[in-house]
Amino acid sequence: MASEDRDRLQAVLEALPSAALVQSPQDRVLAVNRRFVDMFALDGRADLSPGAPLRPVVPLVRAAFATGAPPHPGPGELPAGRHVHRVAEIPLTDGRVLRREVEPLRHAGAYLGALWLFADITDRKRREHDLERDNVALTELARQRNAFTAAASHELRTPLTSISSFGELLADPAFGPLTDEQRSFLDAIRRNAARMQRVISDLLLTTRMRAVGPELEFGPVDVPRMLMDALMDHMGEIGRAGLFAVLDCPPAGPPLRGDRHRLQHVLGNLLENAAKFTPAGGRITVRAAPVGVHWDIEVADTGIGIPEQYRTEIFSGFVRAPNATGAHPGTGLGLAIVRTVVQLHGGTVTAGGREGEGAVFRVRLPVAGPEGAQEGLQEGPQEGGAGP
Ligand code: ADP
């Protein structure tokens, strides 16, 4: 190689952020940068001048590799497959971790040698390790929180059932007459017990879905009928809130593959919210239509609406928009359940509506149900075994 070319090659290697060595096809040194010499403390210990044989350098480099690490040949030790780009992560005895790349050099079909690059990735590996550790700790915390919520909800359910049952008994005229005042006190007890029961069943459902998965039972769902049933279930509530409801849906359509019970629960949650957040005199409209391969279902109301910046967050659980707090009790769990169930059906749910003119929830469900779960295929390690 002309000395001018050699100088250029040297300058390029020195500009690289990694330790670098260029090996000739005859396994000799073509060029080496300062970082390479420093990384393996080769100064004065090895002849690295251009044309020097690589063989004596190999054990000096390999001595830095941690024992117990898979055998990583050093420069000049690529008997077969030297024409293949290779990558490996190599732990060193001093605790550092290197990423080593071998790039075969070719020109016009001729093999000109190989470029060896060693980058110190110790900090990156340490950060990855810290992140992994934090993830494990956070997962454990979430599991503990879930277990605690499940246990507490479960414990609350039994006494609450007793409160509700005795409330029902007290309201029964067979157990004696009540004054109007007593009856209104009793109504308040029953109403609040029912509300607590709903909260507890939402909590139990959420914790259960998190702990053991969704447990959905799929079958054909008659959407118009399911919507009608959901609406009928909530007519009492809607009437008490002084609202009227409209169902705008074709009488029949393609049956949807889904869990009828859970989907009705989803609609029930959206209707309960619409009733809760809409002042008396307002309207709730449920619209549905098959559109291509989906069923589109919309629940719109003329209530307080959802501020723009909360329209995504409200689905994440325990989140309530500021305009909902105060007069409107709730936990912020209903929509998290809605989203989980809809997603398990392969669908989507979004919140919209013009601010101040009410809320619109749009649910889009594929008629065919969720597609078969496709596990993302993990790429195997890049190292082929024989490489350094
Ligand atoms: P909760 O109703 O118990 O607060 P949800 O998860 O059902 O819990 O709803 C979360 C939040 O989304 C509500 O607190 C409210 O801020 C907002 N939201 C849901 N539905 C409506 C609606 N129909 N109109 C206005 N805001 C709504």
Side-chain angles (χ1 to χ4, degrees):
M1 194 189 294
S3 90
E4 210 172 276
D5 291 343
R6 187 163 290 151
D7 288 351
R8 271 200 204 108
L9 175 60
Q10 189 65 37
V12 169
L13 287 200
E14 293 301 343
L16 290 175
S18 305
L21 178 144
V22 182
Q23 169 191 355
S24 78
Q26 296 77 33
D27 295 343
R28 292 182 176 272
V29 175
L30 274 181
V32 141
N33 71 1
R34 187 74 227 164
R35 281 195 174 83
F36 186 90
V37 177
D38 292 346
M39 183 172 271
F40 299 106
L42 296 174
D43 221 359
R45 295 204 297 143
D47 179 7
L48 291 166
S49 56
L54 259 179
R55 217 142 272 282
V57 183
V58 174
L60 301 177
V61 170
R62 290 194 60 182
F65 296 178
T67 49
H72 293 292
E77 282 193 316
L78 269 180
R82 66 198 313 175
H83 299 260
V84 182
H85 173 86
R86 287 158 185 271
V87 183
E89 285 182 5
I90 306 171
L92 300 190
T93 46
D94 61 8
R96 284 179 299 164
V97 182
L98 303 184
R99 177 186 158 89
R100 196 232 50 217
E101 286 183 68
V102 192
E103 189 67 54
L105 304 173
R106 283 190 212 88
H107 184 66
Y111 176 66
L112 302 180
L115 169 65
W116 293 73
L117 293 170
F118 292 83
D120 188 340
I121 57 165
T122 315
D123 285 347
R124 202 191 78 200
K125 293 303 276 182
R126 194 170 294 138
R127 279 197 299 275
E128 278 173 14
H129 179 261
D130 288 354
L131 263 178
E132 236 164 71
R133 195 197 47 210
D134 291 352
N135 269 342
V136 169
L138 282 173
T139 307
E140 174 54 18
L141 273 178
R143 194 198 60 74
Q144 284 178 10
R145 187 188 66 175
N146 206 39
F148 170 77
T149 314
S153 313
H154 204 78
E155 283 304 309
L156 285 171
R157 194 152 72 160
T158 315
L160 194 57
T161 308
S162 165
I163 291 172
S164 295
S165 312
F166 282 110
E168 297 301 325
L169 286 176
L170 273 180
D172 188 337
F175 292 97
L178 296 176
T179 64
D180 285 350
E181 203 172 25
Q182 284 170 333
R183 198 183 314 284
S184 83
F185 292 165
L186 191 55
D187 278 349
I189 291 174
R190 290 163 69 199
R191 232 185 10 257
N192 283 293
R195 204 167 89 204
M196 278 178 76
Q197 258 165 343
R198 274 205 302 275
V199 171
I200 285 172
S201 76
D202 273 0
L203 278 171
L204 280 172
L205 183 61
T206 312
T207 50
R208 194 165 170 74
M209 286 202 290
R210 282 183 185 161
V212 295
E215 302 180 304
L216 296 187
E217 282 177 31
F218 283 89
V221 180
D222 177 342
V223 176
R225 202 195 162 96
M226 187 263 293
L227 295 178
M228 180 57 100
D229 288 349
L231 206 51
M232 283 305 159
D233 281 354
H234 291 82
M235 266 338 247
E237 224 167 313
I238 292 171
R240 270 195 303 280
L243 308 170
F244 81 97
V246 180
L247 175 60
D248 175 2
C249 171
L256 184 145
R257 204 176 101 72
D259 183 323
R260 186 189 202 284
H261 177 70
R262 293 272 182 249
L263 286 178
Q264 196 165 321
H265 188 92
V266 162
L267 259 293
N269 259 322
L270 297 179
L271 288 169
E272 264 168 43
N273 279 347
K276 193 161 67 178
F277 295 114
T278 307
R283 192 180 61 236
I284 299 174
T285 311
V286 179
R287 275 192 205 93
V291 180
V293 294
H294 295 101
W295 264 98
D296 280 351
I297 303 168
E298 191 179 288
V299 178
D301 62 52
T302 55
I304 60 171
I306 307 155
E308 195 99 37
Q309 65 273 34
Y310 285 90
R311 290 182 182 176
T312 308
E313 240 184 296
I314 48 171
F315 290 100
S316 36
F318 299 106
V319 174
R320 313 193 71 221
N323 63 339
T325 50
H328 311 284
T331 55
L333 270 179
L335 288 181
I337 295 174
V338 165
R339 184 173 66 175
T340 306
V341 173
V342 168
Q343 285 178 345
L344 289 167
H345 282 79
T348 55
V349 54
T350 54
R354 278 174 204 253
E355 206 151 346
E357 290 184 16
V360 183
F361 285 87
R362 293 193 180 88
V363 178
R364 166 164 276 210
L365 296 166
V367 172
E371 285 132 23
Q374 282 278 327
E375 292 287 325
L377 287 174
Q378 293 279 321
E379 276 215 2
Q382 292 180 353
E383 186 65 358

